Amino acid sequence: MELIARGRDADVYALDGARVLRRYRGQGPTRLEARLMTYLAARGYPVPQVHEVTDTDLVLDRLTGPTMTEALGRTPWRVGAFGRLLGGLHDRLHAIEAPDWLPARFPAEGAGPGAGRVLHLDLHPGNVIVTAAGPVVIDWSNAAAGDPAADLAMTLVTVGSAEVPGLAARFGRGLLLRAARRASGTDPGPRIQEMIAAKLADPNLTPREAAWLRARLDAPTGS
C-alpha cells in the first residue's frame, strides 16, 4: 500500500483510486468515528463515506484535492475566503444536535442532557480537503458533544499555536483566524482560556507550541 499521509496518531494509505485506509498505530476510536461520520452525512454535513471499520482501521472515500493548508500555500490571496469557509464549516456543524451516544465534553453552562451540539475539536485547515465538489472535513477522532464556543476556540488555539515558518505565513494565519472568527455566529471568547489549558495537555505538542500556549495562559481573552 502507498503511504500518502502521516498524522500524529494514524497513517493514511491509498488502497485504490477510490478508497483510502486510515490506520491507527494503536487502537483508535474508529467505530465511534465511523458512526458519527455516517450520522453527519445523513444530515448533509460534508464528511468522507465510510466503507469498512475495524478496531484500528477505517476504509474511507479517497478525496481528490488539497488540504486547506496546501491550498493556502498555493493561493495565499484567498486567505479571507478560506477563513470565512472555516467559520462556516463550524456553524454548519454546530447546527447539528449531538446524538446521545456521542461522549460529552465542554458542555455549555446550564445545558442539560441532550442539549449539546456536535463538536469536531480539531477543525483546522489541515483537516479540510478542498475538493471540486466543495470542502470535506476529515479526522473525527476528537469529536464530542458540547458547547460550540469550545470548538471554535479550540480551532483558534490549535492554529494559533502551530509552528509556522516565516513572517508572511504567520501574518496570513492571523488573517485566516480573524476571518473565521468574524464569519461564525459563535463567540469563542469565553472558552479560549479553557481550550489553552486543554491543548497544553496534548502529549504531541512541540516545545514551541507549548511555549506559545503557556505565554497566553491567563492572558486577556483578546490575546
mmCIF file of all heavy atoms in Angstrom, residues 180-197:
data_model
loop_
_atom_site.group_PDB
_atom_site.id
_atom_site.type_symbol
_atom_site.label_atom_id
_atom_site.label_comp_id
_atom_site.label_asym_id
_atom_site.label_seq_id
_atom_site.Cartn_x
_atom_site.Cartn_y
_atom_site.Cartn_z
ATOM 1 N N ALA A 180 -12.231 33.701 10.138
ATOM 2 C CA ALA A 180 -13.040 32.588 10.640
ATOM 3 C C ALA A 180 -13.884 33.023 11.830
ATOM 4 O O ALA A 180 -15.072 32.684 11.934
ATOM 5 C CB ALA A 180 -12.137 31.420 11.028
ATOM 6 N N ARG A 181 -13.282 33.796 12.714
ATOM 7 C CA ARG A 181 -13.994 34.235 13.918
ATOM 8 C C ARG A 181 -15.137 35.185 13.550
ATOM 9 O O ARG A 181 -16.234 35.077 14.103
ATOM 10 C CB ARG A 181 -13.011 34.908 14.868
ATOM 11 C CG ARG A 181 -13.575 35.211 16.238
ATOM 12 C CD ARG A 181 -12.484 35.587 17.218
ATOM 13 N NE ARG A 181 -13.015 35.820 18.560
ATOM 14 C CZ ARG A 181 -12.259 35.966 19.639
ATOM 15 N NH1 ARG A 181 -10.931 35.883 19.539
ATOM 16 N NH2 ARG A 181 -12.804 36.176 20.822
ATOM 17 N N ARG A 182 -14.888 36.089 12.596
ATOM 18 C CA ARG A 182 -15.943 37.021 12.179
ATOM 19 C C ARG A 182 -17.071 36.301 11.444
ATOM 20 O O ARG A 182 -18.237 36.686 11.544
ATOM 21 C CB ARG A 182 -15.359 38.107 11.284
ATOM 22 C CG ARG A 182 -14.523 39.149 12.020
ATOM 23 C CD ARG A 182 -14.290 40.377 11.149
ATOM 24 N NE ARG A 182 -13.591 40.036 9.915
ATOM 25 C CZ ARG A 182 -12.277 40.080 9.756
ATOM 26 N NH1 ARG A 182 -11.500 40.436 10.768
ATOM 27 N NH2 ARG A 182 -11.728 39.782 8.598
ATOM 28 N N ALA A 183 -16.721 35.259 10.678
ATOM 29 C CA ALA A 183 -17.724 34.571 9.861
ATOM 30 C C ALA A 183 -18.651 33.688 10.678
ATOM 31 O O ALA A 183 -19.773 33.391 10.253
ATOM 32 C CB ALA A 183 -17.033 33.731 8.789
ATOM 33 N N SER A 184 -18.203 33.267 11.836
ATOM 34 C CA SER A 184 -19.004 32.368 12.661
ATOM 35 C C SER A 184 -19.981 33.148 13.532
ATOM 36 O O SER A 184 -19.679 34.245 14.005
ATOM 37 C CB SER A 184 -18.096 31.519 13.554
ATOM 38 O OG SER A 184 -18.866 30.734 14.445
ATOM 39 N N GLY A 185 -21.124 32.558 13.774
ATOM 40 C CA GLY A 185 -22.108 33.157 14.659
ATOM 41 C C GLY A 185 -21.840 32.852 16.124
ATOM 42 O O GLY A 185 -22.617 33.263 16.992
ATOM 43 N N THR A 186 -20.757 32.152 16.405
ATOM 44 C CA THR A 186 -20.410 31.760 17.770
ATOM 45 C C THR A 186 -19.306 32.651 18.320
ATOM 46 O O THR A 186 -18.348 32.962 17.613
ATOM 47 C CB THR A 186 -19.938 30.291 17.793
ATOM 48 O OG1 THR A 186 -21.015 29.452 17.372
ATOM 49 C CG2 THR A 186 -19.489 29.871 19.180
ATOM 50 N N ASP A 187 -19.415 33.052 19.577
ATOM 51 C CA ASP A 187 -18.362 33.813 20.250
ATOM 52 C C ASP A 187 -17.479 32.836 21.014
ATOM 53 O O ASP A 187 -17.905 32.256 22.019
ATOM 54 C CB ASP A 187 -18.972 34.829 21.204
ATOM 55 C CG ASP A 187 -17.914 35.590 22.008
ATOM 56 O OD1 ASP A 187 -16.725 35.515 21.636
ATOM 57 O OD2 ASP A 187 -18.279 36.243 22.993
ATOM 58 N N PRO A 188 -16.235 32.624 20.569
ATOM 59 C CA PRO A 188 -15.373 31.666 21.261
ATOM 60 C C PRO A 188 -14.692 32.232 22.504
ATOM 61 O O PRO A 188 -14.080 31.482 23.272
ATOM 62 C CB PRO A 188 -14.323 31.335 20.189
ATOM 63 C CG PRO A 188 -14.195 32.622 19.429
ATOM 64 C CD PRO A 188 -15.581 33.227 19.401
ATOM 65 N N GLY A 189 -14.781 33.544 22.703
ATOM 66 C CA GLY A 189 -14.028 34.203 23.757
ATOM 67 C C GLY A 189 -14.128 33.565 25.125
ATOM 68 O O GLY A 189 -13.101 33.352 25.786
ATOM 69 N N PRO A 190 -15.343 33.234 25.599
ATOM 70 C CA PRO A 190 -15.451 32.691 26.952
ATOM 71 C C PRO A 190 -14.748 31.351 27.162
ATOM 72 O O PRO A 190 -14.524 30.954 28.308
ATOM 73 C CB PRO A 190 -16.973 32.534 27.137
ATOM 74 C CG PRO A 190 -17.567 33.537 26.210
ATOM 75 C CD PRO A 190 -16.667 33.533 25.016
ATOM 76 N N ARG A 191 -14.406 30.653 26.066
ATOM 77 C CA ARG A 191 -13.787 29.325 26.229
ATOM 78 C C ARG A 191 -12.306 29.300 25.838
ATOM 79 O O ARG A 191 -11.685 28.241 25.894
ATOM 80 C CB ARG A 191 -14.514 28.283 25.370
ATOM 81 C CG ARG A 191 -16.022 28.201 25.471
ATOM 82 C CD ARG A 191 -16.601 27.751 26.797
ATOM 83 N NE ARG A 191 -16.258 26.495 27.338
ATOM 84 C CZ ARG A 191 -17.152 25.539 27.688
ATOM 85 N NH1 ARG A 191 -18.435 25.679 27.434
ATOM 86 N NH2 ARG A 191 -16.762 24.449 28.299
ATOM 87 N N ILE A 192 -11.738 30.438 25.457
ATOM 88 C CA ILE A 192 -10.363 30.451 24.977
ATOM 89 C C ILE A 192 -9.386 29.929 26.034
ATOM 90 O O ILE A 192 -8.548 29.052 25.768
ATOM 91 C CB ILE A 192 -9.941 31.868 24.528
ATOM 92 C CG1 ILE A 192 -10.690 32.277 23.255
ATOM 93 C CG2 ILE A 192 -8.428 31.942 24.329
ATOM 94 C CD1 ILE A 192 -10.214 31.621 21.992
ATOM 95 N N GLN A 193 -9.471 30.464 27.253
ATOM 96 C CA GLN A 193 -8.537 30.047 28.288
ATOM 97 C C GLN A 193 -8.678 28.556 28.609
ATOM 98 O O GLN A 193 -7.680 27.852 28.812
ATOM 99 C CB GLN A 193 -8.735 30.892 29.545
ATOM 100 C CG GLN A 193 -8.188 32.304 29.422
ATOM 101 C CD GLN A 193 -6.677 32.312 29.269
ATOM 102 O OE1 GLN A 193 -5.970 31.626 30.001
ATOM 103 N NE2 GLN A 193 -6.179 33.086 28.329
ATOM 104 N N GLU A 194 -9.897 28.081 28.636
ATOM 105 C CA GLU A 194 -10.132 26.666 28.900
ATOM 106 C C GLU A 194 -9.511 25.798 27.813
ATOM 107 O O GLU A 194 -8.935 24.733 28.078
ATOM 108 C CB GLU A 194 -11.641 26.420 28.993
ATOM 109 C CG GLU A 194 -12.016 25.003 29.372
ATOM 110 C CD GLU A 194 -13.523 24.812 29.422
ATOM 111 O OE1 GLU A 194 -14.261 25.768 29.098
ATOM 112 O OE2 GLU A 194 -13.949 23.711 29.783
ATOM 113 N N MET A 195 -9.605 26.259 26.551
ATOM 114 C CA MET A 195 -9.041 25.487 25.449
ATOM 115 C C MET A 195 -7.515 25.546 25.443
ATOM 116 O O MET A 195 -6.851 24.579 25.055
ATOM 117 C CB MET A 195 -9.590 25.986 24.109
ATOM 118 C CG MET A 195 -11.091 25.769 23.925
ATOM 119 S SD MET A 195 -11.629 24.058 24.191
ATOM 120 C CE MET A 195 -12.367 24.191 25.825
ATOM 121 N N ILE A 196 -6.939 26.667 25.866
ATOM 122 C CA ILE A 196 -5.488 26.729 26.002
ATOM 123 C C ILE A 196 -5.024 25.688 27.021
ATOM 124 O O ILE A 196 -4.069 24.937 26.783
ATOM 125 C CB ILE A 196 -5.037 28.137 26.420
ATOM 126 C CG1 ILE A 196 -5.246 29.133 25.272
ATOM 127 C CG2 ILE A 196 -3.572 28.130 26.850
ATOM 128 C CD1 ILE A 196 -4.957 30.576 25.639
ATOM 129 N N ALA A 197 -5.705 25.620 28.153
ATOM 130 C CA ALA A 197 -5.348 24.639 29.177
ATOM 131 C C ALA A 197 -5.527 23.214 28.660
ATOM 132 O O ALA A 197 -4.688 22.340 28.912
ATOM 133 C CB ALA A 197 -6.198 24.863 30.425
#
